Amino acid sequence: MGSRLELSNAIRALAMDAVQQANSGHPGMPMGMAEIAEVLWNHHLRHNPANPHWFDRDRFVLSNGHGSMLLYALLHLTGYDLPLAEIKRFRQLHSKTPGHPEYGCAPGVETTTGPLGQGLANAVGMALAERILAAEFNRDGLDIVNHYTWVFVGDGCLMEGISHEACSLAGTWGLGKLIAVYDDNGISIDGQVKGWFADDTPKRFEAYGWQVLRAVDGHDFDAVERALTQAKTQSQRPTLICCKTIIGKGAPNKQGGHDCHGAALGDKEIAATRANIGWNHPPFEIPAAVYARWDARARGAAFEREWDQKFTAYEKAHPQLAAEFKRRMTGELPANWRAQREALVTKTNAKAETIATRKASQNAIEALAPALPELVGGSADLTWSNLTMWSGSKVVSRSAGGNYIHFGVREFGMAGIVNGVSLHGGLIPYAGTFLVFSDYARNALRVAALMKIRAIHVFTHDSIGLGEDGPTHQPVEHAAALRVIPNMDVWRPCDTVEAAVAWIAAIERKDGPTSLLLSRQNLPFQTRTAGQIAAIARGGYVLAEAQGKPQCVIIATGSEVQLAIDARKALAEQGIAARVVAMPCTAAFDRQDEAYRASVLPQGVVRVAVEAGTSDFWRKYVGLEGAVVGIDRFGESAPAGELFKYFGFTVDNVVKTVRSVL
């Protein structure tokens, strides 16, 4: 039988061998956290390798994702469907073991990590989701939602600002089932961190309201065991376990220094490491006794059987709640969803309101949320500007669950937490801020798109229409910046009906995030046929046909659609037939078949795009022979009406631009 030290050395061996074979990677962290990982995964983590999606499993997040071989080694050793062949293909094309953990590649990887600190924010979101769902579904003696979220973090994670944003909130919310293990090895790629990271980390987290367990020897199995056990006794506060470790532990000539952080050890050092730790086995060879001690499949099956028995009793006692729980866990929308969404569109179209699209967005939430108890939203201290709250909103707090989150001024942390909520399952999260502040959240938006998860972002004050707040708050390049993120759907609706359709599309989309760009100012209602309403979901459609064969196509979004309509009329008076195409979502339009796209944007007809943002993006639709009425500079501080005139968003200028390309 393998000893605990042999079990941890198996992690070291797999990590250094995989990195060496790839000649790329980070062996130091897996080697330094091997003992901590052994204690957690063999003695505390509730999971089932045979069913990685078992709902009430503990979540494990490797926030210091550069040390991905730690996670891959653990998944392989404990019995997940991650064979040794994939370990040998570490960092190779189309392997299940990419350089940083990627959600959806290997079973058991709960989130994509690598951009440091984001995994920690994801973990906060997962713990928050557990809290919200537990408050909603658990009943006396039948706690069907009851699991921990564990997260490993390093110095780099804690240097990143997102760690402050997320951990401050975790402390405020009192997320007692969130346990973070800090790999305090004092080393980053550039060397010893004391020259640039001199924070008193324990005091910092105590100030957040966390329980902090200081100076734990990360290589002492018993000390780590005591710390993890103590952490689980604290139900009112999250816990940070500060573990002192030696990076590259076991490598006699490189441990404790930055040389083992982000590079293969080399054949000579690996041979020396094998001798030093007593690992007398060839590369990628694990003794059967070690495999047997690591195998968690029987234990995992027992965990799940225990839960299944509890859920059977729950079903008998609370059949309606149980049915709702099962629906939520599968991610299916309610049976009456189609009727709800159709009613929203029909009612919205009938009311024909001229209002801001941020208000239209709130109306959509108000209509859809009662049918979607899984909808959980919030705002980064802009609730009354983003209009993200509805009449049934219940604020999440330290003492209660709910469906509305006050994130405070924490855009990046908010987006990272939202990703964690989405990944956890059972909830559909949305979050609000001004569009200009999407910059703060951008990397979390990008990672959401990479993971192909459902996360909805409500970005209001979408243009120079913001007015007097000036160029610091006026998004110019932001719509284009979001649109070029692969797998990000960006909707910029022109009125209430397009806003309703955008919300429906965002909720129904399961394979990626959605950004809703919404106006501060009122936008006029556009009259449509039933066919045009149906076509909105296709991302682009003919809103107003030319009088006769079109000589040009004017493409517009959001607040500029009415401008395009007015320009079409003025052009008609000059004998120029113009078609107006509303394109609320370019990504959705690009997914349509070629025949549909050609029917909307016919070949050989000159095109002009109109949008109060940077112009370059629209060249993909108008070509070099067309033109764009846009803004390729920063804004000014003035009333919105004055700004639109100043920057050329007038009927006269659109007409002039069209005539210039005919």
Side-chain angles (χ1 to χ4, degrees):
M1 298 291 287
S3 68
R4 297 188 76 172
L5 184 58
E6 286 178 301
L7 300 188
S8 59
N9 283 339
I11 296 173
R12 291 189 171 96
L14 287 174
M16 66 183 183
D17 288 344
V19 172
Q20 183 65 26
Q21 180 151 303
N23 196 29
S24 173
H26 298 258
M29 187 278 269
M31 297 174 74
M33 295 195 78
E35 284 85 5
I36 301 169
E38 192 281 329
V39 176
L40 173 60
W41 278 65
N42 278 333
H43 301 278
H44 291 270
L45 192 72
R46 289 172 57 87
H47 65 120
N48 184 4
N51 183 10
H53 302 294
W54 168 46
F55 174 74
D56 205 38
R57 68 191 182 278
D58 286 354
R59 272 54 170 185
F60 175 78
V61 175
L62 190 75
S63 189
N64 42 352
H66 55 273
S68 58
M69 268 309 306
L70 175 68
L71 180 54
Y72 299 146
L74 290 166
L75 294 172
H76 170 69
L77 292 167
T78 56
Y80 285 80
D81 184 16
L82 189 65
L84 191 62
E86 292 293 338
I87 302 295
K88 294 179 178 179
R89 295 183 66 230
F90 178 56
R91 288 189 165 222
Q92 304 309 299
L93 184 64
H94 298 150
S95 75
K96 293 183 178 180
T97 51
H100 293 83
E102 292 183 28
Y103 177 71
C105 279
V109 176
E110 299 282 5
T111 181
T112 295
T113 55
L116 292 175
Q118 285 201 56
L120 179 53
N122 297 164
V124 173
M126 293 174 185
L128 177 64
E130 194 271 350
R131 159 83 67 79
I132 291 171
L133 289 167
E136 182 178 358
F137 286 103
N138 288 353
R139 295 296 183 268
D140 291 344
L142 295 170
D143 50 345
I144 61 170
V145 182
N146 184 13
H147 52 266
Y148 286 91
T149 300
W150 304 85
V151 54
F152 283 2
V153 301
D155 295 303
C157 292
L158 299 186
M159 288 185 229
E160 291 284 0
I162 192 174
S163 70
H164 164 71
E165 296 181 25
C167 294
S168 172
L169 275 171
T172 299
W173 292 330
L175 298 177
K177 290 182 180 174
L178 172 64
I179 302 172
V181 180
Y182 170 30
D183 180 32
D184 184 10
N185 59 39
I187 298 293
S188 69
I189 290 176
D190 280 358
Q192 296 186 19
V193 302
K194 61 185 180 182
W196 51 86
F197 185 53
D199 302 14
D200 189 329
T201 297
K203 285 185 179 179
R204 171 186 163 190
F205 276 77
E206 287 171 349
Y208 293 149
W210 287 52
Q211 172 183 232
V212 178
L213 306 181
R214 300 167 177 247
V216 176
D217 184 345
H219 304 298
D220 183 328
F221 293 102
D222 292 336
V224 174
E225 172 69 35
R226 288 192 298 272
L228 297 187
T229 300
Q230 183 178 345
K232 292 195 296 185
T233 65
Q234 171 58 258
S235 63
Q236 302 303 310
R237 293 182 291 164
T239 297
L240 178 71
I241 303 172
C242 300
C243 289
K244 286 289 185 180
T245 63
I246 299 170
I247 191 170
K249 171 78 170 165
N253 303 301
K254 292 189 175 183
Q255 68 177 23
H258 67 99
D259 287 346
C260 65
H261 189 296
L265 296 180
D267 291 334
K268 184 178 180 180
E269 185 69 5
I270 286 178
T273 302
R274 279 184 152 78
N276 187 46
I277 66 176
W279 189 260
N280 301 312
H281 312 287
F284 300 107
E285 184 176 299
I286 306 294
V290 173
Y291 269 128
R293 286 282 303 277
W294 268 112
D295 193 340
R297 287 173 291 187
R299 186 167 67 250
F303 287 146
E304 189 167 352
R305 280 196 305 272
E306 179 186 5
W307 185 85
D308 286 343
Q309 293 170 359
K310 184 184 296 184
F311 191 75
T312 298
Y314 185 86
E315 277 188 298
K316 291 180 180 178
H318 309 284
Q320 290 183 327
L321 274 174
E324 173 67 8
F325 183 82
K326 287 195 287 188
R327 178 189 72 80
R328 298 268 288 277
M329 296 312 109
T330 62
E332 297 300 318
L333 294 173
N336 66 342
W337 169 251
R338 181 174 293 276
Q340 292 288 331
R341 72 172 193 178
E342 290 177 356
L344 169 62
V345 174
T346 300
K347 183 178 179 181
T348 303
N349 188 59
K351 290 180 75 173
E353 291 180 296
T354 290
I355 56 177
T357 50
R358 62 171 175 165
K359 178 60 180 176
S361 167
Q362 185 181 44
N363 291 345
I365 299 170
E366 185 72 43
L368 296 174
L372 282 173
E374 59 264 52
L375 195 63
V376 174
S379 171
D381 200 45
L382 289 169
T383 291
W384 308 115
S385 291
N386 299 147
L387 302 184
T388 42
M389 188 174 271
W390 62 289
S391 63
S393 292
K394 297 178 181 177
V395 176
V396 172
S397 69
R398 189 180 188 91
S399 59
N403 60 8
Y404 195 82
I405 305 166
H406 288 297
F407 287 101
V409 188
R410 298 181 178 93
E411 293 87 1
F412 193 7
M414 174 177 69
I417 290 168
V418 161
N419 287 350
V421 171
S422 180
L423 288 160
H424 180 276
L427 300 170
I428 299 175
Y430 68 93
T433 187
F434 288 174
L435 176 56
V436 76
F437 300 137
S438 63
D439 283 342
Y440 284 133
R442 182 179 173 83
N443 201 256
L445 302 177
R446 181 181 186 271
V447 174
L450 177 62
M451 291 191 286
K452 300 179 179 178
I453 60 172
R454 179 166 46 193
I456 304 170
H457 291 273
V458 178
F459 293 125
T460 69
H461 299 60
D462 69 337
S463 73
I464 56 172
L466 176 61
E468 293 88 344
D469 279 340
T472 62
H473 283 53
Q474 292 166 6
V476 173
E477 74 276 26
H478 298 74
L482 291 171
R483 287 176 179 136
V484 298
I485 298 175
N487 203 42
M488 172 67 76
D489 275 9
V490 178
W491 287 83
R492 188 169 185 248
C494 74
D495 71 352
T496 55
V497 176
E498 284 193 357
V501 172
W503 258 105
I504 292 166
I507 289 168
E508 293 183 347
R509 189 176 187 225
K510 296 182 179 181
D511 60 354
T514 300
S515 294
L516 307 176
L517 315 189
L518 307 169
S519 74
R520 178 192 191 188
Q521 73 275 25
N522 291 343
L523 303 184
F525 174 81
Q526 301 295 332
T527 302
R528 300 174 181 83
T529 65
Q532 287 173 315
I533 292 173
I536 294 173
R538 307 185 78 165
Y541 62 101
V542 179
L543 177 62
E545 187 56 275
Q547 297 175 4
K549 184 179 180 181
Q551 296 169 263
C552 70
V553 176
I554 305 174
I555 309 168
T557 75
S559 50
E560 287 68 68
V561 167
Q562 183 60 49
L563 176 60
I565 293 290
D566 294 340
R568 169 186 172 271
K569 181 180 178 182
L571 286 163
E573 293 172 354
Q574 298 178 29
I576 299 172
R579 168 187 288 184
V580 173
V581 169
M583 197 173 288
C585 182
T586 59
F589 181 75
D590 290 347
R591 290 194 293 268
Q592 304 306 309
D593 61 79
E594 185 178 353
Y596 178 78
R597 287 183 280 116
S599 73
V600 176
L601 301 177
Q603 293 293 325
V605 181
V606 71
R607 305 166 188 173
V608 173
V610 186
E611 186 176 64
T614 50
S615 62
D616 283 356
F617 173 85
W618 290 103
R619 286 291 169 187
K620 66 181 287 190
Y621 298 105
V622 305
L624 296 178
E625 69 280 3
V628 182
V629 179
I631 304 176
D632 292 312
R633 51 153 290 185
F634 296 116
E636 297 281 352
S637 180
E642 293 181 26
L643 290 175
F644 279 112
K645 292 177 184 176
Y646 179 76
F647 286 107
F649 292 93
T650 63
V651 171
D652 287 347
N653 190 44
V654 175
V655 169
K656 178 183 177 182
T657 303
V658 170
R659 292 184 67 91
S660 72
V661 295
L662 287 176

